Amino acid sequence: SVEPQDSVAFQWLSRAAAQGHVAACYDLAVCYLTGRGTQEDAQAAVQYLRLAVEKKHPAAMRRLAFCYRDGKGLTQDTTRALELFAAASAAGDAEAQYNYAWALQRGYGTVADSVSALRLYLLAASKHFAPAQEALQSFLCIRLLPDFPMPQ
């Protein structure tokens, strides 16, 4: 159900997004993705994410990458998802750095590149992004101590 205060916030965000405010476009997309203040609508979310991506909003790049990866609101496209994760990573988004590193480490939709994956895990971990810190720890243990017995 849509809460009244969320509905009011959604209306204000809609007005700001209509005036081209990039943060409002992003926030409105999140509302559409989560159903906060409105009904869930992945296609509308993608529309507003694209507007924010045009203005180089890193979090919008990351969210749109997830939509492409998962086929949410548009046709699934792993290549485009990786391009957006790379762009958001270059813009400093820690969660995108982690997700792009994960793909590079495993060769998901791209050629595996452990060196680049390690660099991105380090960047994201340095921003205190916990999943990246955990992935970095595992990555280093596997690479540096392959014969060391891991605790169960």
Side-chain angles (χ1 to χ4, degrees):
S1 79
V2 175
E3 297 293 323
Q5 67 274 18
D6 290 342
S7 181
V8 170
F10 179 83
Q11 291 171 8
W12 283 107
L13 284 172
S14 296
R15 290 180 185 144
Q19 294 177 9
H21 292 280
V22 66
C25 289
Y26 173 74
D27 290 340
L28 195 59
V30 172
C31 288
Y32 277 121
L33 285 171
T34 62
R36 186 149 193 192
T38 188
Q39 297 298 315
E40 283 187 35
D41 184 342
Q43 290 179 335
V46 166
Q47 174 187 348
Y48 283 102
L49 286 171
R50 285 181 170 150
L51 290 173
V53 166
E54 286 175 10
K55 297 182 181 181
K56 310 293 186 217
H57 191 283
M61 293 175 198
R62 173 181 26 90
R63 287 274 188 158
L64 188 56
F66 284 126
C67 290
Y68 274 107
R69 184 194 70 187
D70 301 336
K72 187 168 187 169
L74 42 69
T75 302
Q76 186 177 17
D77 185 342
T78 303
T79 301
R80 183 66 181 133
L82 291 174
E83 291 169 356
L84 286 163
F85 278 134
S89 293
D93 186 274
E95 188 175 348
Q97 289 166 340
Y98 164 76
N99 281 282
Y100 193 40
W102 185 94
L104 288 169
Q105 180 185 1
R106 290 162 178 80
Y108 176 79
T110 187
V111 175
D113 182 349
S114 296
V115 173
S116 295
L118 176 59
R119 184 181 59 78
L120 288 167
Y121 280 141
L122 284 166
L123 283 171
S126 73
K127 294 172 185 158
H128 309 287
F129 188 67
Q133 292 170 336
E134 293 168 14
L136 181 60
Q137 181 181 11
S138 296
F139 184 90
L140 292 175
C141 286
I142 290 167
R143 294 282 177 192
L144 300 177
L145 305 170
D147 297 325
F148 189 80
M150 297 296 288
Q152 298 298 326

